[in-house]
Amino acid sequence: MTNTQTRLIGSAIALVGGALAAGTDSLDVNVGLAIIIVSGAVFLFDSWRLGKG
């Protein structure tokens, strides 16, 4: 498994974590949205890198 594939899996897990964090009452919704946006950007970039190479 390459580094890019590992980062892709990690960012997909972070997307799920961000969705769970945005749905809880104990955290601010903006924190969950920030996690979703950052991990989504990493996911898209790594998907592009895997498709390119």
Side-chain angles (χ1 to χ4, degrees), residues 5-35:
Q5 291 170 331
T6 306
R7 286 178 45 183
L8 187 67
I9 292 171
S11 62
I13 292 170
L15 277 170
V16 172
L20 291 174
T24 62
D25 292 333
S26 60
L27 267 176
D28 189 21
V29 174
N30 293 333
V31 174
L33 291 176
I35 294 170

Side-chain angles (χ1 to χ4, degrees), residues 2-3 15 33 38-39 41 47 50:
T2 65
N3 185 27
L15 277 170
L33 291 176
V38 170
S39 61
S47 296
L50 278 176

